[in-house]
Amino acid sequence: METSSTAKQSDQEVPKKERTDGEPVVSDRKQMAREALDRLNVWEPSVYYTLGKESFFIAGHEICIRESLDSYGALIWPGAVALSQFLENNRQQVNLLDKAVLEIGAGTGLLSIVASLLGAWVTATDLPEILPNLTFNLSRNSKSRCRYTPQVRALTWGQDLERDFPCTSCRYDYVLAADVVYHHDYLEELLATMRHFCRPASGTTLLWANKVRFQSDLRFKESFESCFNTTLLTELKEGNVRIYKATAQE
């Protein structure tokens, strides 16, 4: 999840302005903050929580993630857990062995770690301020475990894409995205980033998992479906998480 916003903003710190669609921005931010603070998420039984750390058992390994409440990008969100478990349980449908995989908005790195454990050559990306914790988690959980050492790179959605990730040399079999759609103001840039990495005839498949929270999520989905051939792979009703598979329209 890519963002530089904090999860601890008070009511006074968030201006009560209206979006163009009439939905108050402050209510969205309050909901995200409440979700960030509610770490005892009972829908995922294989997770146990300790202060500042979450541990998982996925792909045959214990994965220990360091997180923080200082940023949405330093927390684990339901979409990352759901897509990680989907990849583990559907290896014939989505075979990551020896595949080139890019994650956008990697956050704490859980999904990139799982992809690495499943044999992929992974590049995890996020905002520059997120990278130290992302790098720490990837290193701690992949060392001597993975076929390839996962890489970490800075990526701001919509900015300098062709310069930093030229299409001629940066080709990926899969692009992963988990809980990248929520209340932020960069949905157009996010869609542009997805389109940059998943071009027509590129052979790249996008796997996107997201918890449905706001009406803006559904509007983004409409824009997404206008650019991509989209298939709903699964819907987890208990967490309100949907996982999509998509390829660029010709």
Side-chain angles (χ1 to χ4, degrees), residues 168-186:
T168 54
S169 58
C170 294
R171 296 177 178 268
Y172 300 95
D173 298 295
Y174 290 94
V175 172
L176 308 180
D179 268 327
V180 291
V181 178
Y182 49 105
H183 75 81
H184 62 75
D185 299 322
Y186 304 100

Side-chain angles (χ1 to χ4, degrees), residues 86-105:
F86 179 87
L87 293 175
E88 178 189 28
N89 296 327
N90 296 273
R91 301 188 199 190
Q92 291 186 336
Q93 184 177 0
V94 182
N95 181 9
L96 296 184
L97 184 64
D98 295 325
K99 299 298 193 299
V101 173
L102 175 78
E103 184 181 6
I104 58 175

Side-chain angles (χ1 to χ4, degrees), residues 203-221:
T204 302
T205 298
L206 173 63
L207 298 176
W208 170 39
N210 225 89
K211 179 176 179 177
V212 180
R213 300 176 176 89
F214 313 116
Q215 285 300 314
S216 57
D217 300 356
L218 300 177
R219 286 191 292 274
F220 178 87
K221 177 176 172 288

Side-chain angles (χ1 to χ4, degrees), residues 20-95:
T20 55
D21 56 16
E23 293 183 55
V25 173
V26 63
S27 64
D28 289 357
R29 291 179 176 171
K30 282 182 177 179
Q31 181 172 335
M32 290 297 292
R34 284 196 298 269
E35 186 176 340
L37 292 169
D38 183 17
R39 303 314 302 153
L40 297 179
N41 196 346
V42 296
W43 71 272
E44 176 42 61
S46 69
V47 182
Y48 59 88
Y49 295 85
T50 58
L51 182 62
K53 181 178 71 174
E54 294 188 24
S55 295
F56 304 79
F57 191 82
I58 303 177
H61 294 274
E62 182 181 26
I63 302 172
C64 186
I65 300 294
R66 185 178 70 181
E67 59 176 1
S68 168
L69 288 176
D70 291 337
S71 168
Y72 292 145
L75 292 170
I76 296 172
W77 296 90
V81 178
L83 186 49
S84 293
Q85 294 184 327
F86 179 87
L87 293 175
E88 178 189 28
N89 296 327
N90 296 273
R91 301 188 199 190
Q92 291 186 336
Q93 184 177 0
V94 182
N95 181 9

Side-chain angles (χ1 to χ4, degrees), residues 147-203:
R147 192 178 182 91
Y148 305 98
T149 301
Q151 306 299 306
V152 176
R153 293 187 62 181
L155 171 61
T156 301
W157 297 336
Q159 294 187 17
D160 300 318
L161 294 174
E162 185 58 32
R163 186 197 71 184
D164 296 337
F165 296 87
C167 293
T168 54
S169 58
C170 294
R171 296 177 178 268
Y172 300 95
D173 298 295
Y174 290 94
V175 172
L176 308 180
D179 268 327
V180 291
V181 178
Y182 49 105
H183 75 81
H184 62 75
D185 299 322
Y186 304 100
L187 294 179
E188 291 184 5
E189 291 82 355
L190 171 61
L191 186 59
T193 301
M194 290 175 166
R195 295 183 67 184
H196 175 78
F197 290 111
C198 303
R199 293 176 179 250
S202 65

